[in-house]
Amino acid sequence: MYVGRFAPSPTGPLHLGSLFAAVTSYLDARAHHGTWLVRMEDIDSPREVPGAADTILTQLETHGLNWDGPVLYQSRRIPAYREAWHQLRADGLVYPCNCSRKRLRHLEGIYDGRCRTKTAPGQDDIPCAWRVRTDIADRVHWNDLFCGPQQFDLKQTIGDFIVLRKDGLFAYQLAVSVDDAFQSITHVIRGGDLLDSTPRQLHLLQLLSSPAPRYGHTPILTDSSGLKLSKQRFAPAINPASAQDNITRCLGLIGLTPPTSSLGAPASELLQWAAENWHRNVLKTGESGKKTPASIAVD
Ligand code: GLU
């Protein structure tokens, strides 16, 4: 049984890069006769753009990317994240951290665990971030469906990371892990920019005694200067009036050229043809063990 998902954050409409992520996860699911779910990752309210969630769903529909079942909204899942955090806390696996931004800047992204042994009296009243321990973690391994065998030493490369933010919002890493388990996701197909999130999610899933899905990280789309297409870099929203062209373009980027007989066919038909012709090999990124997934430049 295959259950895949596309999990956009509603920080703006889909652009070519995020459409490409949706298309690859959709094709992998449909090619394996799987279920394809959509989860709206709308828990980071400061970054959310009003109306973006509905725009994304309409864009998916216009492009023939029809999902199964109801959309899961993370903003309605806060009690489940709180429960997971309570469980981790009861097991002594998370701790409050009140290190200043200045101190964290000096650490250059790898937290040194300073607050791990500090007992903060009255810690429930003072806003602080909560970090999960990685000093207890073994090396994290997985065999990526596109990038081959991967291994990360969490404590050396990432350190104890935040699961509950100082502003009271649950972090992406916790929410995504809890929901992948809740929705019984078996296959996570997503952009290679999230490759280094995977060891964190595997670590949390293990601590929460939840099964891990298979992961496949696809190449990311970049602009001509090699930078990832992103909302932050003002990648333009895809034009709903050119759905067929947008889908054909995504398919072309992965080497799938629909036959001339399907010229002018609706996006859903192009996707159906592509699912029948999909093969994971088209997205494999070179020699096994390679850590950085390939990128594809688009103009
Ligand atoms: N919400 C994340 C994003 O839009 C993706 C999360 C995921 O696929 O795990 O970048």
Side-chain angles (χ1 to χ4, degrees):
M1 201 350 223
Y2 180 122
V3 186
R5 52 47 161 206
F6 176 56
S9 303
T11 51
L14 296 180
H15 49 76
L16 190 67
S18 38
L19 180 69
F20 182 75
V23 166
T24 49
S25 97
Y26 177 88
L27 290 181
D28 199 68
R30 294 301 186 224
H32 293 90
H33 308 289
T35 302
W36 190 64
L37 306 176
V38 169
R39 179 165 75 228
M40 199 51 71
E41 301 209 321
D42 57 347
I43 41 160
D44 194 350
S45 37
R47 289 186 56 227
E48 195 168 329
V49 170
D54 287 344
T55 305
I56 291 172
L57 296 178
T58 308
Q59 287 175 310
L60 291 174
E61 275 168 347
T62 326
H63 285 76
L65 292 156
N66 301 316
W67 61 89
D68 298 305
V71 174
L72 184 72
Y73 288 85
Q74 287 197 323
S75 52
R76 299 182 196 153
R77 297 266 306 141
I78 310 298
Y81 310 143
R82 185 162 298 119
E83 194 183 312
W85 169 69
H86 275 300
Q87 184 186 329
L88 295 169
R89 191 177 167 183
D91 292 342
L93 299 167
V94 290
Y95 61 86
C97 167
N98 53 14
C99 286
S100 65
R101 275 169 195 242
K102 193 170 155 206
R103 175 165 196 278
L104 295 174
R105 252 196 316 273
H106 284 301
L107 296 175
E108 292 173 356
I110 305 171
Y111 187 65
D112 60 356
R114 182 200 253 189
C115 292
R116 207 184 280 149
T117 51
K118 239 177 18 196
T119 41
Q123 60 202 18
D124 282 335
D125 309 326
I126 313 162
C128 47
W130 285 74
R131 292 181 183 272
V132 64
R133 291 179 58 166
T134 56
D135 55 322
I136 38 153
D138 295 323
R139 246 168 212 281
V140 180
H141 298 262
W142 80 97
N143 193 3
D144 196 274
L145 294 169
F146 302 116
C147 307
Q150 304 291 316
Q151 53 165 315
F152 276 79
D153 185 336
L154 266 181
K155 46 185 183 279
Q156 298 292 335
T157 56
I158 290 162
D160 298 353
F161 58 92
I162 292 177
V163 291
L164 176 54
R165 294 167 17 175
K166 192 174 177 176
D167 60 9
L169 296 176
F170 285 99
Y172 156 69
Q173 305 292 353
L174 182 77
V176 79
S177 308
V178 169
D179 285 342
D180 282 339
F182 173 68
Q183 295 188 289
S184 307
I185 301 297
T186 60
H187 289 75
V188 172
I189 308 296
R190 60 185 175 190
D193 51 321
L194 290 164
L195 187 82
D196 69 355
S197 284
T198 299
R200 293 174 240 210
Q201 292 162 22
L202 283 168
H203 180 56
L204 285 171
L205 287 166
Q206 194 188 7
L207 297 182
L208 292 166
S209 307
S210 297
R214 298 286 320 263
Y215 292 90
H217 292 86
T218 64
I220 49 166
L221 302 193
T222 65
D223 60 20
S224 50
S225 50
L227 295 162
K228 178 183 172 251
L229 296 188
S230 67
K231 293 161 200 163
Q232 292 75 18
R233 295 192 51 78
F234 309 109
I238 44 170
N239 179 358
S242 345
Q244 291 148 294
D245 291 347
N246 298 333
I247 293 294
T248 306
R249 193 154 180 220
C250 287
L251 298 181
L253 292 170
I254 49 181
L256 290 172
T257 313
T260 39
S261 57
S262 58
L263 221 70
S268 55
E269 269 177 42
L270 295 171
L271 286 168
Q272 195 182 330
W273 172 86
E276 285 158 13
N277 290 277
W278 167 259
H279 199 289
R280 283 188 187 141
N281 275 340
V282 296
L283 278 183
K284 290 230 161 95
T285 57
E287 73 272 33
S288 63
K290 185 170 165 184
K291 271 223 167 132
T292 324
S295 53
I296 302 175
V298 292
D299 35 47

